[in-house]
Amino acid sequence: MPSSSSNQPISSNQPMDPESHTGRLCLWINSLASCDIPDLIQTRAKYLILDGLGCAIIGAHLPWSEKATRAILNMEPEGDCPVFGWEKKISPLAAALLNSTFIQGIELDDYHSEAPLHSNSVVLPALFAAISSLSSKSQSQHFSGKQFLLAYITGLEVGPRVGNALRGIRMLTMGWHSGAVFGPSASAASVCKLLDMPAGQIEDALGIACTQACGLMSAQFESEVKRMHHGFAARNGLFAALLAREEYVGIKKVYDREYGGFLEMFSKGNGKEPRYKIEAISEGLGKTWKMENVKIKPYSAMAATHPGIDCIRLLQKEHMRELLDLKDIESMRLEMADAGFHHGGFKVQRPITSTGAQMSAAYVAATQMVDGEVLPSGFRRDMLEREEVWGLVEKTECVLNEQYNGTMQTAAEIRLRGGKVLRAEVMSARGMNPELSNQEIVEKWRGITRGVVSDERRDMIEKLCLNLEKLEDVMELGDLLAGLTSNPIA
């Protein structure tokens, strides 16, 4: 069995090897202060948080969310941490798991354009669970909005760096659910920052988080557990940070280790040379802000399907009269890059679950053709059996275009009766390039929460979130999330 590469005593204050990539990351997390972060980054972060809270609110009472909540409430005793939208409190780990599952509940949440993960569903539930748990144990313990914002940005910087080290989107091509693999590091880092933990304990937390990382992308076909994958990451990162806070020793140098190390193991079989880019863990810290590549979805579907939706939208706009009668369509063809094709280009068959529908490039393209939009209401159980949608799905072929590999470039071709072919091509997706503006995020927030919470409550959440740095106690915002919400697709 290989031995440890260092005989130095283990310290909770310093990383084992401060010059390792793991050590540099831990020292940076420990030293990061609000004044180090550009104002534009801090402002954008508040709008990203607002979007995440909107996804949580509308996700709390979806049918699959209710099943998960009932199951966990039956397992768990009453605790101190709110379950968003339920007026219930449970343990911190269970709360992080459920609240993350809500954010991921209807495929409307954020994604990272370099290293695919859904940051809000990993970081926000872990932070709120940590805060509510610790605050309940001491009336004098409060966490300000400024502390919350700093911890949130920390998590959004760490997750993509870990993902880039594993070559980002390549993980999806291999069949790993990338965000569930990258996510525990982000969750652990954010909670460590919130609790102002020393660099040595941060290293322990990241080591404990990484040894719990996993996520099989076969969850996308018919399961409901795909909604919960980032919840496992949120819970496991929180668990790791709370263990390390009590000086429980984790894997040291977890990103640098060759035998059994995180990057070494998860990169096996990826066909790349070198298999991983360890320098991505620590390069550009404090100079390049990975949070800038967190993108907000305009459509309720898996991110890699969005360029196909955009192609269909372009064709509907440019050929409105020719596409009025969908019976005139003989066939549809989507040309996709490798990651999108492997992730969403699979052949779908009846019966289909909402998860499978939202993962399928063919299904969401057909939904756009029929409805003129791709929103949560299109994935109700009764909507999944519509003949007009399935008629188009059966005429749709997804193909790999190797010239697009490594990008989100996508093309759509529609062949009409008589032989005329309509074609549209996009280089990226709306929401990615161009990204949604802060004002568009507010409009999305107001639109998706309409009828799910009262206007008064919605406006108060929005006000507190967009003025987060002024909050003395962030649980003023957390308490507003705990109240009962409605099912948006009932």
Side-chain angles (χ1 to χ4, degrees):
M1 178 70 69
S3 61
S4 169
S5 61
S6 173
N7 293 318
Q8 296 296 315
I10 294 174
S11 166
S12 64
N13 293 321
Q14 290 295 316
M16 175 175 278
D17 180 1
E19 294 303 314
S20 68
H21 293 282
T22 306
R24 291 175 197 169
L25 179 65
C26 295
L27 289 168
W28 179 80
I29 293 170
N30 172 256
S31 66
L32 183 65
S34 296
C35 61
D36 299 325
I37 304 172
D39 290 343
L40 283 175
I41 295 293
Q42 296 196 50
T43 297
R44 182 65 172 180
K46 292 184 288 185
Y47 287 89
L48 297 180
I49 292 169
L50 183 68
D51 188 76
L53 299 183
C55 292
I57 286 170
I58 68 166
H61 285 278
L62 296 166
W64 39 93
S65 296
E66 291 190 337
K67 279 196 277 186
T69 304
R70 286 195 300 270
I72 290 175
L73 290 177
N74 285 336
M75 297 179 208
E76 288 279 327
E78 187 174 349
D80 301 314
C81 302
V83 179
F84 297 162
W86 277 80
E87 296 182 336
K88 301 282 186 181
K89 291 186 176 183
I90 51 177
S91 72
L93 300 182
L97 174 63
L98 271 182
N99 291 333
S100 171
T101 301
F102 300 163
I103 295 174
Q104 265 271 278
I106 199 67
E107 290 294 328
L108 260 177
D109 55 329
D110 66 284
Y111 66 100
H112 198 276
S113 60
E114 292 179 5
L117 81 160
H118 305 286
S119 300
N120 276 330
S121 63
V122 171
V123 173
L124 290 178
L127 289 177
F128 275 112
I131 290 168
S132 54
S133 176
L134 295 172
S135 298
S136 69
K137 292 176 172 56
S138 172
Q139 292 186 346
S140 62
Q141 175 111 52
H142 297 296
F143 294 88
S144 69
K146 189 174 181 179
Q147 289 173 289
F148 185 96
L149 191 60
L150 176 60
Y152 174 80
I153 293 171
T154 301
L156 267 62
E157 289 301 308
V158 170
R161 284 183 160 81
V162 173
N164 282 339
L166 283 172
R167 295 188 168 273
I169 204 167
R170 185 68 181 175
M171 292 294 285
L172 287 173
T173 304
M174 294 169 65
W176 291 112
H177 193 176
S178 52
V181 175
F182 315 153
S185 295
S187 171
S190 66
V191 176
C192 287
K193 188 62 192 177
L194 178 78
L195 303 181
D196 196 24
M197 290 165 57
Q201 289 185 355
I202 295 171
E203 183 176 35
D204 290 328
L206 292 175
I208 298 168
C210 284
T211 201
Q212 302 175 83
C214 192
L216 303 177
M217 207 56 252
S218 54
Q220 74 177 23
F221 297 116
E222 66 284 313
S223 83
E224 292 172 334
V225 78
K226 188 267 177 190
R227 316 281 191 192
M228 197 175 276
H229 275 183
H230 282 66
F232 297 150
R235 177 197 64 188
N236 295 347
L238 171 63
F239 178 65
L242 296 179
L243 270 180
R245 188 174 185 243
E246 299 299 325
E247 300 187 357
Y248 195 84
V249 179
I251 300 171
K252 300 293 187 178
K253 301 197 302 181
V254 70
Y255 306 116
D256 296 82
R257 295 282 189 190
E258 292 185 5
Y259 178 77
F262 178 80
L263 301 181
E264 175 69 23
M265 299 311 296
F266 273 107
S267 65
K268 284 186 181 295
N270 69 7
K272 295 291 186 177
E273 185 58 43
R275 290 189 283 113
Y276 56 88
K277 301 186 290 184
I278 192 169
E279 67 278 4
I281 293 290
S282 59
E283 68 181 0
L285 288 169
K287 297 177 182 178
T288 302
W289 297 94
K290 295 299 180 182
M291 198 202 81
E292 290 184 306
N293 285 320
V294 174
K295 307 301 182 183
I296 298 300
K297 291 181 181 179
Y299 313 124
S300 185
M302 183 263 290
T305 69
H306 287 208
I309 296 170
D310 288 330
C311 286
I312 299 299
R313 288 184 57 186
L314 281 173
L315 292 174
Q316 288 175 311
K317 181 179 179 179
E318 295 171 1
H319 304 278
M320 186 182 301
R321 291 184 179 179
E322 292 166 293
L323 294 174
L324 277 177
D325 190 349
L326 299 182
K327 294 178 181 177
D328 288 337
I329 296 175
E330 284 193 347
S331 65
M332 296 203 304
R333 174 186 170 96
L334 295 174
E335 298 176 18
M336 309 172 70
D338 49 354
F341 175 74
H342 291 297
H343 197 9
F346 58 93
K347 189 75 173 176
V348 289
Q349 295 178 331
R350 288 171 159 174
I352 195 171
T353 64
S354 63
T355 304
Q358 290 176 295
M359 296 295 109
S360 165
Y363 191 93
V364 299
T367 299
Q368 174 64 39
M369 286 295 306
V370 172
D371 297 337
E373 59 188 13
V374 182
L375 296 177
S377 57
F379 300 96
R380 292 198 316 259
R381 184 181 296 275
D382 62 305
M383 299 289 274
L384 297 177
E385 287 298 324
R386 291 182 292 168
E387 294 299 334
E388 53 192 342
V389 173
W390 279 104
L392 289 175
V393 170
E394 290 162 3
K395 295 177 180 180
T396 302
E397 178 188 21
C398 296
V399 298
L400 174 64
N401 186 329
E402 293 184 350
Q403 294 181 354
Y404 296 168
N405 285 358
T407 73
M408 291 190 77
Q409 189 172 352
T410 302
E413 282 190 357
I414 297 178
R415 181 175 294 275
L416 302 175
R417 287 179 183 173
K420 185 174 182 178
V421 176
L422 311 178
R423 182 178 174 89
E425 186 172 11
V426 297
M427 302 302 293
S428 186
R430 177 174 170 248
M432 184 174 181
N433 185 19
E435 67 180 13
L436 296 192
S437 68
N438 291 344
Q439 182 56 40
E440 287 175 315
I441 292 174
V442 171
E443 291 168 0
K444 175 187 171 184
W445 148 262
R446 292 173 182 171
I448 64 176
T449 56
R450 187 177 297 116
V452 179
V453 295
S454 69
D455 291 352
E456 180 182 5
R457 183 175 164 198
R458 179 199 67 208
D459 292 344
M460 183 57 70
I461 292 171
E462 179 182 321
K463 179 181 178 181
L464 293 180
C465 187
L466 297 184
N467 292 279
L468 192 58
E469 74 282 3
K470 299 176 183 177
L471 271 182
E472 293 183 5
D473 183 357
V474 78
M475 283 312 294
E476 185 178 348
L477 175 60
D479 289 342
L480 284 170
L481 301 174
L484 201 65
T485 58
S486 300
N487 181 349
I489 63 173

